[in-house]
Amino acid sequence: MNGAARFSTISGDMILSAGSEFQVGEVFSTSGNVIAFASGAPGFTDANAAGLNFRAASLQLNATSGPLGSGVNPIETETGLLAANAGGAIFLRNTGALTIGDTPFAGFTSQSASGFPAAFAVGGSSDLTAGGSVVLVNSGGIIVEDGTVNNPGVGVRSATGNILLQDLSGLITLRADFSAPAGGITVLAAGNLAVETSLAGVGSTVDLQALGGDLTFLSGLALNSLGSNVRLQASGDVVLANVNAGAGNVHVQAGDDILMAGGGHTITANQARFVATDAVGDLPGNAPISTSADIVAASAGAGGIHLLDANAITVGTTGLYGVNRVGDDGSTTPLNDGPLSGLTTTANGSIVQRNSSGILTVASAVSANGAGNVRLAAGTGGNVLVNNSISSGSGNLTVF
């Protein structure tokens, strides 16, 4: 289909199909549904320079054998409801409040060759599914729903590449899983980032960040990275459920507090690192961050540090590790956080580190600022092995 073509309707549905390459000019249906197909390997290409390619109430894009746009020139859309499937990669840039989910069928009545009216319709679709990477950059907020047509339970799937979901001005809500076998999964929200579904068996490194708000998991959910590293960051609070990195590492960073979304949740990792401006765990509420890790390190402010490990644990130095940050061209760049040693607070914050069983080893310094107290307590059948300093400015020290 030639890129010079312009299609426009106020409220009608449009169904467009190209046998080979779909060179997208302008396809506008202000309040209708648009479904577009490209059967050939070139897929969809942007022939409208920096201009808008698709405008519709709902938009379904299907590239059977090729990509949807490119990292240099993504397909530009303005829709509130989106589903896209491609044999290659997906590169989309949308404007407006957006839901990824079930798109409706589109249909209309046309004149047949015999002169009689003939009904024509195409069924709906769901999700973002690609053979290569999936890159969606939006302005206006994103909700990822669990579509019912393709990949039940999974809202965004890449067979061989990376995933970037980014909103430049609003919040992101995840209600469906992600799937990428290796590489990186990055979700960046300008506001809050809410995880309302389990992310189970994603396979890639996981990089979730709320740049202008809170990162929250609903209670009872789980993030399982299958041994890859996990990085969770927010300018406000980070509220955690179950995070299982297996033999991988976990880094959690908050501009305010790091808390648990209720009891019964565990952060499982080789190394677990927590950095908060105020609190790691809730000391006044006796609600620690529960871990099952080999090495733990944390720093916090006035709210202090409260950690509870399930087994033998070493308060030590976490190494230089990180995730694969996915860019808007689909490629990845290492995003590493430097080593962190021991347990430290500022602003008179207190420190409590306990474990349920086994030895609690202090291999790196534990230091509470000012009047902050320190309590280190080993659980059943264990003891505290002190191989480094434990200190407070004027607070109490308890080790048992």
Side-chain angles (χ1 to χ4, degrees), residues 115-308:
F116 293 97
F120 186 73
V122 174
S125 186
S126 65
D127 310 328
L128 301 180
T129 304
S133 293
V134 177
V135 174
L136 171 64
V137 178
N138 184 63
S139 296
I142 301 172
I143 299 174
V144 181
E145 296 283 6
D146 182 8
T148 60
V149 180
N150 301 317
N151 310 314
V154 178
V156 184
R157 179 189 295 271
S158 168
T160 61
N162 307 304
I163 294 173
L164 170 64
L165 195 68
Q166 181 175 12
D167 197 277
L168 301 175
S169 63
L171 57 83
I172 295 178
T173 303
L174 305 181
R175 295 175 180 161
D177 203 352
F178 285 56
S179 177
I185 293 174
T186 295
V187 181
L188 304 175
N192 295 330
L193 173 51
V195 182
E196 299 182 359
T197 186
S198 288
L199 304 177
V202 292
S204 298
T205 64
V206 180
D207 171 23
L208 308 182
Q209 184 170 356
L211 290 97
D214 300 333
L215 168 55
T216 58
F217 287 76
L218 290 183
S219 180
L221 300 182
L223 189 165
N224 187 348
S225 68
L226 298 179
S228 296
N229 291 346
V230 174
R231 188 179 192 275
L232 309 173
Q233 183 176 1
S235 64
D237 293 339
V238 176
V239 180
L240 299 165
N242 292 299
V243 178
N244 188 351
N249 305 308
V250 172
H251 174 88
V252 185
Q253 185 171 339
D256 199 354
D257 299 329
I258 300 173
L259 304 169
M260 300 299 282
H265 303 106
T266 303
I267 311 303
T268 302
N270 174 32
Q271 299 181 18
R273 179 169 56 214
F274 304 95
V275 179
T277 301
D278 186 31
V280 174
D282 182 3
L283 275 169
N286 193 28
I289 302 296
S290 297
T291 63
S292 178
D294 294 330
I295 299 174
V296 67
S299 66
I305 296 170
H306 193 184
L307 298 172
L308 172 64

